[in-house]
Amino acid sequence: MNATTSATTSAAASAAAAFAAANLSRATGAGLDVHEYLRVTGELTDLGRWGETFMRVARGHLARAGEAATAISAGGHFMTAARWFHFATLGPGEESALAAAEADAAMGRALELLDPRARRVEGPGFAGWLRRPDRAGGPGGPDGGGAVVVVVPGLDSSKEEFHAVTDELLRRGLTVFTMDGPGQGVLAATTTIRADYHHVIGQVADALGARRVGLVGLSLGGYYVAESAAKEPRVVTAVTVSGPFRLDWDELPQPVRDLLVSRAGGEDAARRFAGRVDLSALAPAITCPLLVVDGGQDVIPGVTDGAALARLAPHGRYLRIPHGDHLLGNARPDWLATAADQIAATLA
């Protein structure tokens, strides 16, 4: 191996290690086992192999599901596989569309075993799972014209990432719809992101027959939720987590720009999308209770100023977790129960 080859190999390994470290709290916050994650990423010497490596691990969990002695064990392995397939989509490579489809299928197989009452609901710009709580006494289900909480993912996240949020809401007796929207998850390969997300939330509410909607949005999903709370009258309570208040294309890090270009369908479309992400005029129209959660260690420009959204919204409340990073996967005890309690109290 000559010096040039050695330097190239070392640089590839360093890039893989840096990417793995940057996504550690996100992955563990989504439910990946920390030891398995560190072992798998510690053996990764080329970021270009991220997708295939994560898909291989996911398929190992599918195999375990097939060998499991009980439905509970099999369902757990399918759910874990769904998470690994989803995280396979985060790296560079050609596997993203296949990995997203595999994540979607694995989640469906998991819910068949773990929550047989879960119902797949799809529309022109969304797809997701409607789940009901185990116990009675919640604020009702959408089939009877009741209430539902919609969990909205972000730019490169999906419905397979936020099981912990869904579980907290279900434990409080709430009916929950965990979704992918335009440009997200299983729809990323066939649709593009849109800034007027309230139309999507309106379609979801129509499809579910819900008169009252609570929203929880994470990362870019936080903007989607705030925009929808300002414009969709059925939204009666909302929580944003690491959501942008305003985006400036020139200030965005190159990886975020690249993601926007990919999910918007080109640079011009991405620039237009970023230019529309601005809540300064919309925030005063958010009349429902709104909890804005930020991490003090979040460094993404436009996402670090959630206090402005909470201040401008008539019933806004700001919760800043000083040690929290983007998505606050490293600080769930500091915000998740609080967010779920607020949704439950205001939706009931």
Side-chain angles (χ1 to χ4, degrees):
M1 180 182 295
N2 60 38
T4 301
T5 302
S6 178
T8 301
T9 301
S10 177
S14 295
F19 191 78
N23 283 284
L24 172 61
S25 71
R26 178 176 177 180
T28 56
L32 294 188
D33 179 81
V34 62
H35 302 290
E36 186 175 27
Y37 180 86
L38 291 174
R39 183 173 65 253
V40 170
T41 58
E43 297 171 355
L44 191 63
T45 58
D46 182 352
L47 184 56
R49 299 186 63 186
W50 177 280
E52 66 179 76
T53 299
F54 273 57
M55 291 181 73
R56 173 177 51 78
V57 177
R59 289 184 177 125
H61 284 283
L62 292 182
R64 292 187 184 100
E67 299 167 355
T70 66
I72 292 176
S73 294
H77 285 303
F78 281 129
M79 193 68 82
T80 300
R83 295 182 176 113
W84 279 95
F85 277 126
H86 163 63
F87 275 87
T89 70
L90 303 189
E94 304 297 325
E95 301 89 356
S96 290
L98 176 58
E102 294 273 21
D104 182 62
M107 185 171 178
R109 296 177 75 180
L111 291 176
E112 286 177 7
L113 298 171
L114 301 176
D115 187 1
R117 296 181 303 162
R119 180 161 63 91
R120 177 75 164 201
V121 183
E122 300 181 8
F126 68 90
W129 292 98
L130 181 68
R131 299 180 62 189
R132 298 180 181 281
D134 290 332
R135 62 183 177 84
D143 292 333
V148 63
V149 185
V150 181
V151 179
V152 181
L155 180 57
D156 63 349
S157 51
S158 72
K159 62 186 179 304
E160 288 79 32
E161 186 167 342
F162 301 118
H163 299 293
V165 176
T166 298
D167 289 344
E168 286 288 331
L169 296 166
L170 289 171
R171 278 196 286 269
R172 285 159 177 78
L174 300 168
T175 298
V176 186
F177 184 65
T178 308
M179 65 172 287
D180 292 331
Q184 298 172 317
V186 73
L187 301 179
T190 57
T191 62
T192 55
I193 53 177
R194 57 186 297 178
D196 55 349
Y197 206 90
H198 68 280
H199 291 300
V200 182
I201 295 300
Q203 291 172 4
V204 169
D206 290 343
L208 299 179
R211 292 197 308 266
R212 293 178 294 131
V213 176
L215 297 177
V216 180
L218 301 104
S219 192
L220 184 60
Y223 164 78
Y224 291 150
V225 159
E227 190 268 348
S228 298
K231 294 189 173 184
E232 169 52 61
R234 285 169 288 189
V235 176
V236 298
T237 184
V239 173
T240 73
V241 181
S242 299
F245 180 74
R246 180 190 298 113
L247 293 182
D248 184 326
W249 179 263
D250 293 331
E251 293 181 354
L252 291 174
Q254 192 61 48
V256 178
R257 290 190 197 178
D258 292 341
L259 275 172
L260 283 170
V261 170
S262 173
R263 298 302 172 101
E267 183 171 335
D268 289 343
R271 286 177 176 271
R272 289 193 298 271
F273 176 90
R276 295 187 62 184
V277 177
D278 186 345
L279 293 170
S280 54
L282 286 177
I286 303 174
T287 58
C288 68
L290 172 69
L291 174 63
V292 179
V293 184
D294 274 348
Q297 302 304 308
D298 197 337
V299 296
I300 299 177
V303 180
T304 57
D305 53 0
L309 173 59
R311 183 177 64 253
L312 291 171
H315 302 288
R317 174 188 172 199
Y318 186 53
L319 176 60
R320 182 179 183 274
I321 310 300
H323 55 278
D325 55 16
H326 188 66
L327 287 173
L328 293 103
N330 66 334
R332 284 193 304 175
D334 298 295
W335 67 270
L336 183 51
T338 299
D341 285 344
Q342 171 149 328
I343 291 286
T346 51
L347 193 62

